[in-house]
Amino acid sequence: MAAKTPSPEVVGKIDHHPPAQNWMDTKPEFKPGNYLYAGKASALETVGLPNPRDWNPTDDDWKLPADWKGTVREGIAQRLERFRSFKLFMDICVRCGACADKCHFFIGTGDPKNMPVLRAELIRSIYRGEFKTAGKILGRLAGGRKLTEEVIKEWFYYFFQCTECRRCSVFCPYGIDTAEITIIAREIINLIGCNIDWIASPVANCFMTGNHLGLKPHTFKENIEYLLDDIEEYVGIKIEPSFNRKGAEILFVTPSGDVFAEPGIFTLMGYLMLFEHIGLDYTWSTYASEGGNFGFFTSHEMMKRLNAKMYAESKRLGVKWILGGECGHMWRVVHQYMNTLNGPPTWLDRPVSPITGTVFENAVSTKMVHITEFTADLIKNNKLKLDPSQNDHYTVTFHDSCNTSRGMGMLEEPRYVINNVCNNFVDMAPQVIRENTFCCGSGSGLNAGEYLEMRLRGGLPRANAVKRVAEDKGVNMLSCVCAIDRAVFPALMDYWVPGTEVCGVSELVANALVMEGQGEREYNLRGEENPSYVPPEEPEGEGEAGEEGEE
Amino acid sequence: MGFLFSVVAVLVLVGIALVGVGGLGLKVLFGVIIPYAAVLTFFAGLVYRVVDWARSPVPFRIPTTCGQEKSLPWIKPNKIDNPCSGGMVLLRMAFEVLTFRSLFRNMKLDYRQGPTIRYSSEKFLWLFAMMFHWAFLVVIIRHARLFTEPIAQWLQTLEHLDGFLEFNLATFGIGLPTIQISGLVLLGGVSLLLVRRIVVPSVRYISLAADWFPLFLITFIALTGILARYVIRIDVVKVKELAMGLATFHPVVPDGISVWFYVHFFLVCVLFAYFPFSKLMHLGGVFLSPTRNMVNNSRAVLHVNPWNYPVKTHDYHEYEDDFREEMVEAGLPVEKTLEEAEAEKAPAAPAPAEAEVTEEKED
Ligand code: SF4
Ligand code: SF4
């Protein structure tokens, strides 16, 4: 938005050699396109975050609160006590460098401070300089430095240049998770009011309206109703879902990104059609209308405050369990944090699929099931009528979202589903999928317009892997189970791999669904002519009328 | 800076031992007092650090999952990299600690302008680390012969396995000492790690004195050890006397041990004392890393955060209060009708409010 994005040729010229200068002597350069706007005072006020004020990262004076140093020190001390991960990761890194070239931001920028090890050193050096005797006395020789305003600026710059994707942690011999360090570091700078608008505003929106876009209840409902009209037009099926309905069996929660923008809305149409097809007794909630949790990028406390609405709503509506849509960090939070922070939800039942009777044993405590697990189970039990040839014009590859792969381990389910609804599926190279997957480059709240150049840089490794399968295998559809991915991949693909489309897995499922009473599938959910549609040969072949209904 | 400092620091340490024993003859200090102090520091420090870590809370279950989770019964989980039970965690940790599984995964970035990104397998760090750590372990265990009498059978077996040119020794009695592979591998491993740190630009860039110093220290320990064994041929019987004295808490300082032995010994003491305060504590830390040592069953089993506390949320009722009118208009069910809400808000409602209320249709 703000900056003109340089061409791929320019952005692709990257030097990965570190400069001669010691890293403690280099400073970040806040240039348009590579820094994020500051969190707005009003958003901070809404949720009671500290130090609301108008400021800009390019300002000299960041208007930090009077005793900001004390606050930061205290913040670090408290977190050292609360998180073994933090304390341990401050102490045991041997700087072997195994993580160094694994970060997409390092690959895309060549900036050595984007090597995970050095990103962590940004805070480790303060830990040593301010908390450890050797660092206090020997200073830089012991790898320690003092807390200054410069350091805060550097933290802001580099901790919002980490998508918390955990790729580094896979390769570290001790599992040091720089994402965990970043999460805590962001929490610390939030204490002095250093945050970004693209997180702070969604947080405030989520808090007040239930979803990060700030869709009010009626708008939320209306948006979905538009999509129902589209389904009626393209599929010929009239669907009437319920909202805030008490006594439904299942509460469905998906990221609100699916409700309003392409191509997420096609995924949402996919959910609607799937649920209609199996006759699921479920409801949407306008209050718990967001699965994605931007609190996760703010503080553990904020994560808890925002996620609480899902359980609260399940209780109020009296549902049996919760089904969750396709989202990355929503699922990291649901999988790893929700039960601990907001649970246990004693009022809910064990999640059992009402269609297949399968008990989701892996979710018996949180009572939250992932839509892809749910769909995989339906397919396995032959509960869906599918015609995968409807996706024949796509050659599909799958992007493992960082959170569902490295924070959950959901790798096979999406592949199983895709393979059952598409005839042409190819995986990208093994070095860049599953736990080795590359981030979209815009996760953890970094998908702001003003940050586009940095996002394209961070997304380069992912795009490059897609480009290879696009060129070698003819891939033209990048599928994923993450709403952020769906939101940011179109721009990333247009830039690095033009011609590749993006979709959620549920959209592919819906394309292949053969629904009772459906019309001709001449158009796909996107309203485009469906190239895989074969019109029935009524005028010519007389004796073949019987086939019509089958196909 | 860190590099030079560390070389100098190790040389100074060598000098201290040379002067201390060779010049000033402080054998008791270097042979008894410092070793005891170092060992005490080592154990006290190690225990302190590990207990400190172990006692700090692990509020969330955050394993890094490197394979398929246990989900539907017909999907095969990856038991090692995504453990679903305590036993599997043990397996994961065993692979991690004994074979450096994560390092084995290592890949190397190959960036070509264009841009093209490739990754190729990179096993050097893994190989050097395996050489170094395993050889170090064998060397330490081998040294136990100095502290035990009689020497255990398994220890002798280990030495036989470790040694070659053994028949020479057997034939000529106390002739050529057995060449111990472990010592050479240790020296090789540590040198390769050192060279890697110097040669790879990014690794050099991130290296601190705290990274160089232990490498040099261990290099010198290995060198002086090899020197003492093969070149100077220190009097092993006397060294054993000293060691047994220390081990049985009846310290004796026999005469006639080469000063180079004391240099070796002093550097080892420094390593011991330095250990708990340094990154070398990764030895203890690797077992405690929450991303590796936790079971990935966060949705199946409740995990408790010891410092969890209640937070302010925006509950449904506040939400409905904010949007009730729109909700009613959009046909969304509400907990309280507009009238009810209005009545509650203003118990003695002034007249004008009523007009508004009565217009709304009820649900
Ligand atoms: S891989 Fe782990 S130990 Fe090695 S430098 Fe990175 S964080 Fe440190
Ligand atoms: S978590 Fe991801 S973005 Fe952050 S440092 Fe690690 S690899 Fe880079």
Side-chain angles (χ1 to χ4, degrees):
Chain A
M1 250 189 280
K4 193 158 154 22
T5 308
S7 71
E9 289 71 38
V10 175
V11 169
K13 286 206 178 66
I14 302 161
D15 180 11
H16 290 94
H17 287 80
Q21 208 179 21
N22 185 297
W23 67 262
M24 287 192 194
D25 299 322
T26 60
K27 282 181 198 158
E29 206 185 326
F30 289 85
K31 283 190 301 196
N34 76 1
Y35 75 92
L36 289 141
Y37 296 160
K40 287 202 185 73
S42 57
L44 270 54
E45 270 154 12
T46 305
V47 285
L49 284 172
N51 199 19
R53 71 212 182 279
D54 287 318
W55 65 288
N56 193 326
T58 51
D59 294 345
D60 276 341
D61 178 12
W62 281 23
K63 302 183 193 162
L64 301 179
D67 184 32
W68 68 268
K69 277 190 197 178
T71 311
V72 169
R73 276 194 211 111
E74 218 172 278
I76 296 177
Q78 192 184 39
R79 277 145 195 88
L80 286 169
E81 259 171 33
R82 281 188 176 173
F83 296 90
R84 182 195 297 170
S85 53
F86 188 47
K87 192 181 224 176
L88 195 72
F89 296 166
M90 287 296 108
D91 287 331
I92 62 167
C93 171
V94 296
R95 285 167 297 277
C96 67
C99 59
D101 55 355
K102 308 303 183 290
C103 175
H104 51 280
F105 276 114
F106 173 65
I107 298 173
T109 62
D111 185 338
K113 286 186 198 173
N114 273 327
M115 298 192 287
V117 46
L118 213 44
R119 197 189 306 288
E121 286 289 310
L122 299 181
I123 191 162
R124 227 180 254 132
S125 56
I126 301 301
Y127 165 69
R128 287 189 290 250
E130 301 269 350
F131 291 85
K132 295 292 217 183
T133 326
K136 279 189 209 163
I137 299 168
L138 298 173
R140 196 184 267 209
L141 191 57
R145 56 178 184 163
K146 289 282 155 217
L147 188 58
T148 62
E149 211 167 333
E150 288 298 327
V151 168
I152 298 296
K153 292 183 178 177
E154 190 186 47
W155 283 6
F156 178 88
Y157 190 77
Y158 290 104
F159 290 129
F160 289 107
Q161 230 168 85
C162 164
T163 45
E164 303 177 349
C165 77
R166 308 184 113 189
R167 190 168 198 265
C168 43
S169 134
V170 167
F171 297 91
C172 173
Y174 320 113
I176 292 180
D177 182 4
T178 307
E180 180 79 359
I181 296 173
T182 302
I183 290 168
I184 289 168
R186 287 188 184 184
E187 185 164 315
I188 292 166
I189 53 172
N190 256 287
L191 297 173
I192 53 171
C194 293
N195 33 35
I196 64 168
D197 181 47
W198 227 92
I199 293 175
S201 291
V203 161
N205 282 340
C206 275
F207 191 72
M208 294 310 292
T209 62
N211 57 73
H212 86 262
L213 296 163
L215 302 175
K216 294 182 178 168
H218 52 292
T219 327
F220 183 80
K221 181 168 177 252
E222 273 162 24
N223 267 25
I224 291 179
E225 280 164 353
Y226 288 134
L227 302 177
L228 296 171
D229 292 345
D230 284 356
I231 293 175
E232 195 172 354
E233 188 179 342
Y234 304 136
V235 186
I237 299 273
K238 195 167 164 56
I239 299 175
E240 287 175 350
S242 62
F243 294 87
N244 299 357
R245 175 165 62 94
K246 286 193 178 174
E249 182 173 0
I250 291 164
L251 169 66
F252 180 65
V253 182
T254 199
S256 66
D258 285 346
V259 183
F260 93 114
E262 291 183 11
I265 49 172
F266 309 128
T267 308
L268 193 129
M269 289 156 82
Y271 307 141
L272 287 162
M273 286 166 62
L274 176 73
F275 299 155
E276 179 74 12
H277 185 66
I278 58 175
L280 194 70
D281 176 17
Y282 79 107
T283 189
W284 297 84
S285 163
T286 61
Y287 170 63
S289 52
E290 174 66 71
N293 187 327
F294 281 65
F296 187 40
F297 316 136
T298 310
S299 67
H300 288 84
E301 180 175 295
M302 192 58 77
M303 163 162 61
K304 178 175 178 176
R305 290 173 69 185
L306 299 185
N307 241 52
K309 63 185 180 292
M310 287 196 241
Y311 277 160
E313 189 69 339
S314 72
K315 189 173 194 179
R316 187 181 73 88
L317 297 177
V319 300
K320 287 197 181 140
W321 53 274
I322 310 173
L323 185 60
E326 297 182 12
C327 184
H329 79 268
M330 159 181 175
W331 274 97
R332 172 105 180 263
V333 174
V334 167
H335 186 76
Q336 298 198 322
Y337 299 91
M338 183 156 180
N339 213 19
T340 309
L341 284 174
N342 309 92
T346 44
W347 56 90
L348 295 175
D349 284 356
R350 281 190 321 169
V352 180
S353 170
I355 315 300
T356 65
T358 301
V359 182
F360 292 92
E361 297 286 354
N362 59 334
V364 289
S365 187
T366 42
K367 329 278 200 224
M368 272 196 78
V369 175
H370 194 288
I371 181 81
T372 311
E373 296 168 338
F374 183 72
T375 311
D377 174 62
L378 290 170
I379 295 175
K380 182 74 180 176
N381 287 290
N382 265 322
K383 299 293 180 190
L384 302 185
K385 214 166 161 229
L386 295 167
D387 172 12
S389 74
Q390 290 297 311
N391 283 313
D392 273 357
H393 55 294
Y394 293 139
T395 301
V396 181
T397 192
F398 178 69
H399 161 71
D400 291 273
S401 123
C402 308
N403 289 301
T404 51
S405 54
R406 284 184 285 262
M408 226 177 144
M410 192 177 73
L411 309 175
E412 295 302 337
E413 291 89 340
R415 287 177 171 79
Y416 177 80
V417 172
I418 297 171
N419 271 314
N420 275 284
V421 300
C422 297
N423 289 320
N424 318 314
F425 171 72
V426 274
D427 248 328
M428 291 178 264
Q431 294 94 329
V432 295
I433 55 167
R434 297 172 186 258
E435 70 269 14
N436 296 332
T437 186
F438 268 120
C439 184
C440 61
S442 307
S444 81
L446 306 189
N447 44 330
E450 73 267 16
Y451 206 50
L452 189 59
E453 181 183 335
M454 194 51 76
R455 289 167 42 199
L456 295 170
R457 288 181 177 279
L460 170 59
R462 171 40 83 225
N464 206 262
V466 176
K467 190 169 176 179
R468 285 188 104 181
V469 281
E471 282 169 1
D472 300 350
K473 310 270 177 63
V475 163
N476 56 3
M477 182 56 92
L478 174 61
S479 66
C480 58
V481 285
C482 171
I484 303 268
D485 288 337
R486 283 190 289 278
V488 304
F489 271 150
L492 188 71
M493 291 300 122
D494 281 350
Y495 190 80
W496 294 113
V497 204
T500 308
E501 288 189 89
V502 179
C503 73
V505 169
S506 292
E507 180 184 347
L508 296 173
V509 173
N511 285 343
L513 271 187
V514 181
M515 297 184 68
E516 206 164 315
Q518 72 177 21
E520 299 297 334
R521 301 285 290 265
E522 268 180 78
Y523 297 94
N524 62 19
L525 303 182
R526 303 184 172 208
E528 301 156 346
E529 272 183 40
N530 174 9
S532 292
Y533 170 71
V534 185
E537 304 170 22
E538 265 171 84
E540 287 148 75
E542 285 173 346
E544 294 169 24
E547 279 185 19
E548 200 185 326
E550 307 269 301
E551 288 299 302
Chain B
M1 183 176 75
F3 181 89
L4 267 186
F5 172 84
S6 305
V7 183
V8 172
V10 174
L11 289 176
V12 167
L13 290 173
V14 172
I16 289 176
L18 283 176
V19 174
V21 179
L24 307 174
L26 301 170
K27 287 182 189 163
V28 176
L29 179 66
F30 283 86
V32 179
I33 299 173
I34 292 179
Y36 274 138
V39 169
L40 194 70
T41 315
F42 175 77
F43 283 110
L46 189 86
V47 169
Y48 175 82
R49 295 292 303 275
V50 170
V51 168
D52 183 45
W53 284 330
R55 282 175 52 179
S56 49
V58 183
F60 303 107
R61 198 189 294 268
I62 51 164
T64 309
T65 56
C66 297
Q68 175 63 39
E69 69 174 328
K70 181 168 179 285
S71 60
L72 295 161
W74 45 273
I75 293 177
K76 196 171 163 277
N78 181 330
K79 290 185 179 158
I80 297 174
D81 288 327
N82 195 335
C84 50
S85 68
M88 295 305 149
V89 164
L90 280 182
L91 205 60
R92 183 183 204 184
M93 292 308 290
F95 271 109
E96 207 53 77
V97 174
L98 301 175
T99 71
F100 301 173
R101 189 178 172 89
S102 295
L103 273 187
F104 192 73
R105 257 184 237 281
N106 200 15
M107 298 187 279
K108 187 175 181 301
L109 171 71
D110 169 8
Y111 187 85
R112 317 220 173 135
Q113 307 296 338
T116 312
I117 297 164
R118 283 161 211 267
Y119 266 108
S120 50
S121 160
E122 143 83 63
K123 301 261 185 283
F124 286 117
L125 177 56
W126 173 81
L127 184 73
F128 299 166
M130 285 290 279
M131 284 170 65
F132 171 73
H133 285 88
W134 278 104
F136 210 144
L137 184 68
V138 173
V139 168
I140 289 172
I141 294 175
R142 247 193 324 99
H143 277 71
R145 71 146 37 234
L146 297 174
F147 297 91
T148 48
E149 188 63 52
I151 298 163
Q153 186 54 47
W154 64 267
L155 201 59
Q156 299 194 14
T157 313
L158 178 77
E159 291 207 347
H160 284 304
L161 289 174
D162 193 14
F164 68 93
L165 299 176
E166 224 167 324
F167 45 89
N168 285 353
L169 185 77
T171 328
F172 305 109
I174 318 158
L176 184 70
T178 317
I179 303 277
Q180 300 283 5
I181 304 170
S182 56
L184 297 181
V185 176
L186 173 62
L187 186 61
V190 73
S191 321
L192 288 168
L193 285 172
L194 190 57
V195 168
R196 175 182 176 273
R197 211 171 258 289
I198 298 169
V199 170
V200 181
S202 54
V203 184
R204 190 170 63 230
Y205 192 68
I206 55 177
S207 297
L208 300 172
D211 302 309
W212 299 112
F213 178 69
L215 280 174
F216 287 123
L217 187 61
I218 294 168
T219 307
F220 271 78
I221 289 173
L223 276 175
T224 48
I226 289 173
L227 194 74
R229 187 180 169 91
Y230 303 109
V231 184
I232 299 171
R233 312 269 287 275
I234 54 162
D235 189 338
V236 183
V237 178
K238 288 194 175 138
V239 170
K240 176 144 186 170
E241 214 177 300
L242 174 78
M244 288 303 293
L246 289 171
T248 53
F249 296 104
H250 293 97
V252 277
V253 186
D255 277 332
I257 306 181
S258 159
V259 68
W260 285 103
F261 162 77
Y262 284 100
V263 173
H264 179 69
F265 198 32
F266 179 60
L267 293 181
V268 171
C269 291
V270 172
L271 182 69
F272 266 68
Y274 174 70
F275 198 98
F277 306 101
S278 68
K279 71 164 192 177
L280 302 176
M281 275 306 292
H282 67 265
L283 167 75
V286 64
F287 295 96
L288 292 170
S289 181
T291 55
R292 290 283 191 267
N293 71 10
M294 301 189 93
V295 183
N296 180 32
N297 57 0
S298 345
R299 274 191 290 157
V301 177
L302 180 70
H303 179 85
V304 177
N305 172 354
W307 50 259
N308 204 8
Y309 53 87
V311 293
K312 164 87 189 82
T313 62
H314 189 66
D315 69 21
Y316 175 80
H317 299 284
E318 293 169 90
Y319 169 85
E320 194 181 297
D321 287 344
D322 291 343
F323 302 111
R324 186 170 291 105
E325 217 166 299
E326 289 100 325
M327 290 175 79
V328 170
E329 217 167 283
L332 289 166
V334 284
E335 296 272 324
K336 282 182 217 155
T337 62
L338 288 168
E339 291 87 344
E340 283 167 359
E342 203 57 46
E344 237 174 67
K345 205 160 58 182
E354 269 170 43
E356 213 181 306
V357 172
T358 44
E359 288 200 6
E360 306 290 349
K361 55 175 187 280
E362 268 179 67
D363 245 27

